[in-house]
Amino acid sequence: RRQRQMCIRDRYRTAYLQVPKITDRKPVFVSGEVRDSLDRIVHYFGGRGMSASGMVENLVRLHLETYREDIELWRKL
């Protein structure tokens, strides 16, 4: 069980907690509750240089990649 948890944690870190390269930053707003949760996750599991903004960037990139084809189809409806 511990090995499985470590594997899940590693996959999570790889997907969401890698420091992204952002060249053209724009503001995005989230609630204080969400920001506090992101800060906790980044503090406990993120590496040096990781931030809540970086985690949001990774979450959105993965979401857009996952649903790219569906979004394109919906756009054409």
Side-chain angles (χ1 to χ4, degrees), residues 25-62:
R25 292 184 175 270
K26 303 290 182 193
V28 174
F29 300 96
V30 296
S31 68
E33 179 184 356
V34 168
R35 177 60 190 242
D36 291 345
S37 294
L38 291 172
D39 285 339
R40 265 193 309 279
I41 291 168
V42 169
H43 174 76
Y44 290 132
F45 303 111
R48 184 174 172 90
M50 189 58 191
S51 65
S53 298
M55 186 173 178
V56 169
E57 176 79 11
N58 292 335
L59 283 162
V60 173
R61 283 183 183 189
L62 183 59

Side-chain angles (χ1 to χ4, degrees), residues 21-25:
K21 181 175 175 137
I22 304 173
T23 57
D24 184 23
R25 292 184 175 270

